[in-house]
Amino acid sequence: FQGLLPGPSPAFSRPARVMLRAFGNLATALILACTDVALSLTAFIAYAIVDAIDLVCGSGQNTARKKVAWHTPRFTTAPVHKTDGPLAKEGYGELDVGATLARSTFSLTPELLVTRTKEVLAAQFGTREGDNAAEFLSADFQFVAPIIGPLSRDEFVRAFGSFKLREAIPDIQDNAWFQVDPLEPNRCWFFSRPTGTHTGPLKFGGSTIAPTNKHIETAPQASSMLFNEDGKVYTLTVGYTMDKRVGNSNGLGALLGILYAVGKPLPVPEGQRLYTPSLRFESFERIGKMVETLGFDPNTRQRIP
């Protein structure tokens, strides 16, 4: 396990440094695990009290642990796989996109679906001045982001229309490209790497964030619209990031990423970074590091060469 330890120390021999590091990982793992147990017990009691109050008062609908059901898939297509190429030989299951889309029974063609998606985006989901959201979003519309949602049409329109993103970031560019889902042919995906500069007032949560003149570059993100056969969106998904290393949004997408990039992140873990490791996860991770320090691979349990 050469290279796992720092440079030589005048105070400790190599075996001593190995044991010291192993002890440190074990001790900190135990501290984290015990803390996790205490917090989990506290949370369990708190949730039990909250659930009892909700039962009596009828409160808590569509909150963090009690989301309303989201829409199930309405159109699906059986996959057609490519039979040639290097991936076919390995049974990878590479889709033949054209052949799979040709099986679609959805009334709108892929070309029309992409065009319609762009029209909805151009109209800012119906919040653009002179537009009506009901022309673009169905009555049973749901907005579903990684943290927020599902939101109804009215809830979404009120929230999105209040942000005034074009005023806050006049030079915003989505840098987007579009693709109809071969397996769900009424869904159009659009992938984006948004950039811009915060030079105008950004409205959020009833307050206004003054211009910071900060450059914004959020992580690459996947979003999608699912359409009914009338060409209206019944589900909008946004902000699912794909590489947390990119940009200055700390892995966050959509509005949460913008708020982080301008230095005004939400004061909750979900608004600070893409992923916050739990105490339990870090405890397990440190146990693995202890095993590794002792010269064994924690996955195979075999000695490291």
Side-chain angles (χ1 to χ4, degrees):
F1 46 96
Q2 190 72 26
L4 294 178
L5 300 176
S9 167
F12 299 101
S13 64
R14 182 177 179 80
R17 286 188 286 120
V18 169
M19 296 309 297
L20 186 62
R21 175 170 289 187
F23 170 78
N25 279 314
L26 177 61
T28 53
L30 289 174
I31 291 171
L32 291 168
C34 291
T35 304
D36 176 66
V37 170
L39 291 176
S40 296
L41 179 60
T42 303
F44 175 80
I45 295 171
Y47 286 144
I49 295 171
V50 167
D51 290 342
I53 294 173
D54 285 344
L55 183 63
V56 173
C57 300
S59 52
Q61 291 91 345
N62 204 25
T63 53
R65 295 179 300 113
K66 301 178 180 180
K67 298 291 189 182
V68 300
W70 46 66
H71 298 311
T72 57
R74 299 181 183 180
F75 294 88
T76 58
T77 304
V80 178
H81 296 126
K82 288 188 175 181
T83 57
D84 56 357
L87 295 179
K89 297 176 182 178
E90 299 298 325
Y92 184 81
E94 180 184 4
L95 279 180
D96 186 326
V97 174
T100 303
L101 284 172
R103 287 185 169 186
S104 169
T105 60
F106 187 56
S107 59
L108 299 180
T109 66
E111 294 76 18
L112 286 175
L113 206 62
V114 170
T115 297
R116 185 58 174 165
T117 300
K118 294 177 181 179
E119 290 173 348
V120 175
L121 289 171
Q124 298 176 44
F125 310 104
T127 65
R128 183 178 57 184
E129 187 175 353
D131 285 317
N132 181 357
E135 297 176 6
F136 302 93
L137 311 179
S138 68
D140 62 344
F141 170 86
Q142 289 184 338
F143 169 83
V144 186
I147 306 297
I148 307 300
L151 299 181
S152 68
R153 182 174 68 187
D154 290 344
E155 289 172 327
F156 170 74
V157 169
R158 286 197 304 269
F160 184 82
S162 70
F163 299 148
K164 306 295 182 184
L165 287 179
R166 291 288 174 183
E167 297 178 13
I169 314 168
D171 65 343
I172 190 170
Q173 296 291 320
D174 245 26
N175 301 309
W177 63 103
F178 300 80
Q179 171 68 55
V180 172
D181 191 326
L183 300 180
E184 200 172 6
N186 65 324
R187 182 197 290 259
C188 182
W189 290 98
F190 49 105
F191 306 92
S192 60
R193 301 178 66 137
T195 59
T197 310
H198 179 214
T199 56
L202 175 60
K203 301 182 184 300
F204 179 76
S207 60
T208 300
I209 301 173
T212 61
N213 294 312
K214 289 186 176 181
H215 175 70
I216 299 166
E217 181 183 356
T218 70
Q221 52 196 291
S223 304
S224 72
M225 296 184 200
L226 288 108
F227 290 84
N228 61 25
E229 295 196 285
D230 294 327
K232 294 185 179 182
V233 181
Y234 68 84
T235 297
L236 169 66
T237 69
V238 304
Y240 293 84
T241 58
M242 298 179 287
D243 190 343
K244 63 183 179 181
R245 305 169 302 164
V246 176
N248 61 351
S249 66
N250 208 20
L252 297 170
L255 184 62
L256 292 182
I258 292 174
L259 290 172
Y260 186 93
V262 302
K264 301 293 182 180
L266 292 183
V268 294
E270 294 84 353
Q272 302 287 328
R273 59 191 61 82
L274 176 64
Y275 167 61
T276 302
S278 66
L279 294 171
R280 194 175 309 171
F281 180 88
E282 186 176 348
S283 176
F284 290 154
E285 190 175 42
R286 286 172 179 267
I287 291 292
K289 290 299 181 182
M290 180 196 70
V291 173
E292 189 177 79
T293 300
L294 294 175
F296 292 87
D297 186 317
N299 298 302
T300 65
R301 301 183 182 179
Q302 301 295 316
R303 181 169 287 278
I304 299 173

